[in-house]
Amino acid sequence: MKTLLVFDFDHTVIDDNSDTWVIKCTPKQDLPDWLKNTYQKGHWTEYMGRVLSYIGDQGIREDAIRTIMETMPYTAGMIDLLKFLSQNKERVDCIIISDSNTVFIDWILHAAGAQCAVDRVFTNPAHFDDRGYLDVQCFHSHSCAQCPVNLCKRKVLEDFLERKLMAGLQYQQTVYIGDGGNDLCPVKSLKKSDVAMPRKGYSLERLISKLNAGDSRHLESRVVGWSSGLDILNEVNSLMKQSCL
């Protein structure tokens, strides 16, 4: 009887945005206005492609970028939570679904020795090309009108659960931990036995509250807010104890 923990990454596992943190490696730790003005809503990954190309144009290469990214702060209590998960793999599976990229997440997890806690990472694929520039591609295409064009976290989660079910594993419950607007779509897919855990004070919490306002609930799952990884750890421990009853 396993539990699945699903994490967003930016402002959830880490206490900032990895895509904006990388700007710290530029000489002025800022981007020119002409570049900032190219962003179009729902097309963040394409925008980040231009940002990373600009960083490459400044002569900034892999080692310098990695040094900056490895200074990313983890959210309070999150490393303790990930350590606990790595020690309880017989009871809990853990995946990350993020709009960051494979290179950043891999670096940041390894910098804290937290990679053992995570079974799978679903995010935009990235690699350094022949010029030494970091190239990021869209994760997938989808038909969801609510999500950014490169990533529907609900589709990723549902596809993952379906593959596990076909392999003979049905999770007792899913716990979804996130903070942002793009986490609402997968939260809507959670079942009655599942738990939605929005970060307190962030947009996902406000969106869930708005969704559940009025006489009828729009989410099947239980909702538990969190401020630190220790809040999530307490909830996971509680679920484990219930499953043993």
Side-chain angles (χ1 to χ4, degrees), residues 169-201:
L169 173 59
Q170 183 171 9
Y171 291 102
Q172 185 172 12
Q173 66 263 128
T174 297
V175 181
Y176 190 99
I177 303 132
D179 74 285
N182 65 352
D183 295 311
L184 184 62
C185 189
V187 163
K188 287 180 178 179
S189 73
L190 298 178
K191 306 298 188 292
K192 189 175 181 178
S193 59
D194 299 334
V195 185
M197 297 197 71
R199 188 174 183 181
K200 292 180 180 178

Side-chain angles (χ1 to χ4, degrees), residues 27 78 89 124 127 157 163 168 194 210:
M78 197 61 67
K89 299 310 295 181
N124 302 300
H127 72 282
L157 177 56
R163 288 194 299 272
D194 299 334
K210 184 177 180 181

Side-chain angles (χ1 to χ4, degrees), residues 46-213:
E46 294 93 327
Y47 169 72
M48 277 307 300
R50 294 188 291 274
V51 170
L52 294 170
S53 180
Y54 170 80
I55 288 173
D57 289 344
Q58 307 310 302
I60 302 164
R61 296 297 182 261
E62 181 174 347
D63 288 348
I65 299 173
R66 181 167 188 162
T67 297
I68 289 296
M69 297 310 297
E70 288 181 341
T71 67
M72 285 240 46
Y74 274 73
T75 301
M78 197 61 67
I79 291 179
D80 291 330
L81 170 61
L82 293 172
K83 182 178 180 181
F84 172 85
L85 297 178
S86 67
Q87 295 170 346
N88 289 272
K89 299 310 295 181
E90 76 283 356
R91 303 285 302 281
V92 182
D93 282 348
C94 171
I95 65 172
I96 290 172
I97 307 177
S98 168
D99 206 2
S100 181
N101 67 74
T102 54
V103 169
F104 286 175
I105 293 178
D106 182 63
W107 282 347
I108 294 165
L109 289 177
H110 276 80
Q115 72 278 5
C116 296
V118 182
D119 298 290
R120 288 287 304 274
V121 175
F122 299 93
T123 188
N124 302 300
H127 72 282
F128 285 89
D129 65 19
D130 294 339
R131 302 171 299 166
Y133 287 35
L134 183 57
D135 180 61
V136 178
Q137 301 296 318
C138 293
F139 179 76
H140 65 182
S141 59
H142 60 84
S143 58
C144 177
Q146 307 302 314
C147 290
V149 296
N150 64 295
L151 178 64
C152 173
K153 293 185 177 185
R154 177 175 186 156
K155 178 172 174 53
V156 174
L157 177 56
E158 289 180 341
D159 287 351
F160 175 81
L161 291 173
E162 183 178 352
R163 288 194 299 272
K164 285 293 185 178
L165 189 60
M166 291 177 65
L169 173 59
Q170 183 171 9
Y171 291 102
Q172 185 172 12
Q173 66 263 128
T174 297
V175 181
Y176 190 99
I177 303 132
D179 74 285
N182 65 352
D183 295 311
L184 184 62
C185 189
V187 163
K188 287 180 178 179
S189 73
L190 298 178
K191 306 298 188 292
K192 189 175 181 178
S193 59
D194 299 334
V195 185
M197 297 197 71
R199 188 174 183 181
K200 292 180 180 178
Y202 285 72
S203 57
L204 179 60
E205 181 185 44
R206 293 190 292 272
L207 289 167
I208 289 175
S209 295
K210 184 177 180 181
L211 196 65
N212 282 339

